[in-house]
Amino acid sequence: MNGKPIERRSEGAGSSSSFDRVAPSQERDKPERFNTGVRARENRKEEALSSIVYSYRHGFSGFAAMLTNSQAQQMRGIWPESKSFNDYGYGPIPSRWKGTCETGQNFTMNNCNRKIIGARWYARGVNASYLNVDYKSPRDYSGHGTHTASTAAGSFVSNTSFYGLGVGTARGGAPHARLAIYKACWGGAIRCPEAALIKAIDDAVHDGVDILSLSLGARFFQSFVTIHAVAKGITVIFSAGNDGPLPQTISNELPWVITVGASTIDRSFPTIITLGNNQKLVGQSFYHTSNDGSNSTELLLIRSCSTAELNSTNIAGKIVVCADSLFAPGDIPSGAGDASRSMSQVVNSLIEAQAEGVIFARSPIGLLQDYRRFIYLLVDNDVMLQIKEYIQLSDTSSPTAMISPANNIVGSRVMSPRVAAFSSRGPSLDYPDLIKPDITAPGVSILAARFNSYYFLSGTSMACPHVTGVAALLKAAHPEWSPAAIKSALVTTAYTTNAYGFPIEADGVPRKLADPFDFGGGHINPNRALDPGLIYDVDPNDYFKFFNCTSDGSNCDLVDAHLYHLNLPSISISDLKTSVTVKRTVTNVGDTDTIYRAIVESPPGVKISVEPSVLKFNAFNKVQTFALTFTSLHAVQGDFNFGSLTWSDGGKHLVRIPLAVRVSIQDYFSDTS
């Protein structure tokens, strides 16, 4: 640890939903050393006590300490004024709530209400450089926590928009849910010290939350600690990370949590580009500055928008057309997150050079961004070609274009959902016998509260609270359901096709049909999840049988590597050599007297048999166990292939789980596809 508490970058501030039954750190100086005697022992005890940053008592036992180098060798927030957090019409705070409203900089007791019923903040052990630019209170500094909280449980707010785009009524997934906020992430870069995150989770368990929503995507947080929250009946929901579209980039891939990927929604923002020859083309943007039709701007075509080329060109007052890739050969970004950061760096350079705007060729990994009066426009390759031809063949030395404000299109004309390119993908490096993510939800251009207004943001951070809101509704409708039952209902009822019946696609280079390592069970379907028919439940004790966890949750050793034996609503077999039999148990939560029949879609090269293939339920027989036998048809080292098992009652219930199987004749084979 090198004397520094582990930190992770946040993809959003961690926030927790509660509803009515619904930097390295600054190093300490090296301790003075004493040779012998009681004083030495007492000093070591005092040092140990003074180094403790947080103690954890409610979900688990343990402590976090600030350690010096020698010792180490031995051993987000909310903007309460937003209309989305109005508590009009709410009754008294539930008596079972044990939380508190901690005050601080620009945050008083009056900032909590019957909607925001709890707020805590965790500054101990946080690097001073992060604290100095942030509010030392639960108040949101970056706007990220407010956005995610309002997405999960924001109240109804009519006539909201982003400068006229996305006009309508804003509401969270569970608009009548109550919120408790735990600010453990700090600064403009949104850094989240691990000790603070663990303490926040521990307090949330004590306070009595029903759902933990954590829009955190880095791979270094000891999310094992959440096993104790799940054991106490709290549903834990994580974002999957923004490192797609490459495989094996998934974060938070533990079997007891719900891991959420991001997908698009049926909304686009067409923007008319009128060239100097009056040719009209269409791109996409959030551009919202009014234009009376008389304002044309000079276009400047640049082959490669590299820093060197931009610095050597006069671009002031012009719209720069980035004709080719932003990246030099051999310097292709590892994922959409890197690509977006590179595009942002280009934009920042252009703004510093006083350019009027930029036009990028929209690759599948490009994301819309807003830079206020600076024009940020994405076009497809065909439109880019026409712009280039106009500039190169123009009979004037100064080709121009007029950019009109963006329009708003919602509905069936927009093909969706698609898995977002940035959404991290499976299989898991650590646990290939898990299908992760579990599900996808809207995470691209999501309009939600940010400070006192509403703003579009994209990321799996935005997808995570969508699932949080639906999980809150499921808990309200079915208070007896366990976290595993809620996950099962979400996964087994998800969409795998769009409104036209076409298979859901996954954005990337190239775009492809989505598979379980892109979207898990599919795209979230809230209405069907309320009545899933059957559920795959898991006793929390079963998690501990597979994972030997320390009492403080700081580490969990995998006891049984074959996680496909857990009763999850998915099956991944990463090393099928000849034959494997897996058992599953389902509980009927639908009509009492029901018969379900198995529908099997086998992965290529694998034979699957189900026994029994018919399940009969009645008032006395609500739980049934069945076995799936997977048999390899070819003795060849294979890739992951995919299928599904669906239980149908011949009516409204289709209970589907995804299957992933890789035939293996040699262990540790390198192919991860």
Side-chain angles (χ1 to χ4, degrees):
M1 285 178 19
N2 200 30
K4 301 169 185 177
I6 300 173
E7 295 182 350
R8 82 186 314 207
R9 289 183 68 108
S10 170
E11 293 185 330
S15 61
S16 298
S17 288
S18 176
F19 44 91
D20 195 3
R21 284 300 175 202
V22 219
S25 66
Q26 291 178 310
E27 292 185 0
R28 305 172 73 89
D29 293 333
K30 270 195 172 183
E32 180 184 357
R33 292 183 179 271
F34 295 86
N35 294 323
T36 60
V38 174
R39 185 181 177 192
R41 291 193 296 273
E42 289 177 345
N43 188 68
R44 287 196 296 271
K45 180 178 179 181
E46 290 172 359
E47 288 173 4
L49 290 173
S50 65
S51 71
I52 293 176
V53 180
Y54 294 109
S55 62
Y56 315 125
R57 299 171 301 205
H58 308 299
F60 36 87
S61 60
F63 65 90
M66 295 277 289
L67 305 178
T68 66
N69 287 336
S70 59
Q71 288 172 315
Q73 292 167 0
Q74 303 168 22
M75 302 215 20
R76 216 79 163 111
I78 196 164
W79 197 266
E81 292 84 4
S82 171
K83 294 179 181 179
S84 288
F85 308 121
N86 190 316
D87 67 351
Y88 177 78
Y90 280 71
I93 295 172
S95 59
R96 67 185 178 95
W97 177 246
K98 300 177 183 177
T100 187
C101 183
E102 294 180 353
T103 60
Q105 184 181 2
N106 289 10
F107 198 96
T108 70
M109 290 293 293
N110 292 330
N111 291 127
C112 291
N113 55 23
R114 289 169 296 179
K115 177 71 173 180
I116 303 173
I117 63 174
R120 296 179 185 264
W121 55 291
Y122 305 86
R124 280 183 286 170
V126 178
N127 189 294
S129 64
Y130 305 151
L131 288 176
N132 291 340
V133 298
D134 207 327
Y135 296 101
K136 297 180 179 65
S137 73
R139 182 170 292 278
D140 188 3
Y141 174 75
S142 71
H144 212 304
T146 299
H147 198 281
T148 55
S150 65
T151 300
S155 300
F156 289 89
V157 183
S158 60
N159 198 33
T160 60
S161 72
F162 175 73
Y163 294 96
L165 297 175
V167 178
T169 297
R171 50 156 287 181
H176 298 296
R178 303 177 194 264
L179 285 161
I181 306 303
Y182 299 82
K183 181 178 177 179
C185 301
W186 297 87
I190 316 181
R191 300 286 184 171
C192 311
E194 186 166 62
L197 288 170
I198 296 174
K199 178 58 176 173
I201 292 172
D202 189 44
D203 283 343
V205 172
H206 164 267
D207 293 347
V209 303
D210 297 288
I211 312 283
L212 270 170
S213 182
L214 296 129
S215 287
L216 302 165
R219 297 180 59 87
F220 304 107
F221 170 50
Q222 295 173 353
S223 48
F224 292 116
V225 299
T226 56
I227 194 172
H228 300 284
V230 171
K232 293 179 180 291
I234 299 170
T235 298
V236 179
I237 304 169
F238 273 103
S239 56
N242 295 337
D243 296 313
L246 297 181
Q248 293 188 313
T249 51
I250 191 77
S251 297
N252 305 311
E253 64 271 42
L254 293 172
W256 53 84
V257 306
I258 301 174
T259 310
V260 185
S263 50
T264 63
I265 60 175
D266 57 348
R267 179 162 57 195
S268 70
F269 304 95
T271 303
I272 297 176
I273 307 163
T274 305
L275 301 179
N277 61 2
N278 288 323
Q279 181 182 6
K280 294 185 184 297
L281 303 172
V282 178
Q284 294 274 325
S285 79
F286 289 145
Y287 184 59
H288 49 78
T289 300
S290 60
N291 193 328
D292 61 6
S294 60
N295 259 344
S296 290
T297 306
E298 182 178 348
L299 295 176
L300 178 63
L301 180 65
I302 295 182
R303 180 176 177 79
S304 173
C305 285
S306 63
T307 302
E309 189 164 358
L310 291 176
N311 289 340
S312 62
T313 307
N314 179 18
I315 58 178
K318 302 172 184 177
I319 297 177
V320 174
V321 179
C322 290
D324 295 330
S325 171
L326 298 176
F327 315 106
D331 191 32
I332 300 299
S334 60
D338 285 345
S340 293
R341 283 187 287 273
S342 297
M343 294 169 82
S344 295
Q345 290 169 3
V346 169
V347 170
N348 291 334
S349 297
L350 292 170
I351 292 174
E352 288 179 8
Q354 299 182 344
E356 284 292 308
V358 64
I359 300 177
F360 286 120
R362 182 174 192 171
S363 71
I365 56 179
L367 284 176
L368 291 180
Q369 303 282 350
D370 174 67
Y371 292 93
R372 301 190 183 278
R373 296 184 64 86
F374 182 84
I375 299 169
Y376 180 93
L377 190 63
L378 302 180
V379 298
D380 63 27
N381 289 326
D382 179 63
V383 172
M384 176 59 77
L385 179 61
Q386 294 181 67
I387 294 174
K388 288 166 61 176
E389 288 178 346
Y390 160 68
I391 296 174
Q392 293 167 341
L393 301 177
S394 177
D395 56 5
T396 174
S397 59
S398 299
T400 63
M402 184 181 70
I403 312 300
S404 301
N407 293 301
N408 196 76
I409 292 181
V410 178
S412 59
R413 287 187 290 168
V414 182
M415 189 68 76
S416 68
R418 289 197 305 264
V419 179
F422 60 77
S423 187
S424 291
R425 314 294 169 89
S428 166
L429 277 169
D430 296 325
Y431 312 115
D433 286 342
L434 284 180
I435 289 182
K436 289 286 180 171
D438 293 294
I439 198 168
T440 63
V444 177
S445 299
I446 303 303
L447 184 65
R450 193 179 188 202
F451 307 123
N452 283 324
S453 59
Y454 291 80
Y455 202 87
F456 289 109
L457 291 178
S458 297
T460 55
S461 283
M462 285 65 251
C464 177
H466 278 85
V467 176
T468 300
V470 177
L473 296 177
L474 294 179
K475 187 68 174 178
H478 305 283
E480 74 284 0
W481 279 9
S482 68
I486 289 174
K487 176 160 77 170
S488 174
L490 292 167
V491 172
T492 61
T493 60
Y495 293 109
T496 58
T497 58
N498 63 26
Y500 293 101
F502 300 152
I504 290 176
E505 296 178 322
D507 276 342
V509 184
R511 183 178 292 161
K512 68 181 186 70
L513 295 182
D515 63 51
F517 289 141
D518 300 317
F519 66 178
H523 182 78
I524 191 169
N525 185 340
N527 292 333
R528 281 191 60 202
L530 282 168
D531 182 19
L534 304 176
I535 57 172
Y536 293 77
D537 209 352
V538 181
D539 186 324
N541 290 322
D542 289 345
Y543 298 129
F544 289 97
K545 293 177 184 176
F546 282 81
F547 290 84
N548 181 23
C549 296
T550 57
S551 60
D552 63 353
S554 62
N555 186 52
C556 291
D557 295 323
L558 188 61
V559 178
D560 186 344
H562 294 143
L563 290 174
Y564 50 72
H565 288 309
L566 270 170
N567 197 49
L568 301 172
S570 61
I571 298 174
S572 176
I573 301 175
S574 62
D575 59 350
L576 179 64
K577 292 183 172 62
T578 54
S579 181
V580 169
T581 296
V582 177
K583 291 185 177 180
R584 286 291 187 268
T585 299
V586 289
T587 302
N588 181 26
V589 293
D591 297 334
T592 301
D593 297 305
T594 311
I595 298 176
Y596 282 86
R597 290 178 170 81
I599 303 171
V600 178
E601 181 184 344
S602 296
V606 177
K607 176 184 177 182
I608 299 178
S609 61
V610 182
E611 182 60 39
S613 60
V614 177
L615 303 178
K616 297 180 179 180
F617 297 93
N618 55 45
F620 305 101
N621 192 14
K622 297 181 179 180
V623 180
Q624 293 271 18
T625 297
F626 60 91
L628 298 93
T629 299
F630 298 78
T631 304
S632 172
L633 298 178
H634 308 287
V636 60
Q637 193 79 26
D639 303 333
F640 270 109
N641 284 296
F642 308 101
S644 64
L645 168 66
T646 303
W647 289 102
S648 172
D649 64 358
K652 60 182 178 180
H653 295 119
L654 291 171
V655 188
R656 180 186 180 276
I657 65 171
L659 310 174
V661 182
R662 180 171 59 189
V663 175
S664 175
I665 58 174
Q666 178 182 345
D667 290 335
Y668 309 114
F669 193 71
S670 63
D671 198 328
T672 62
S673 62

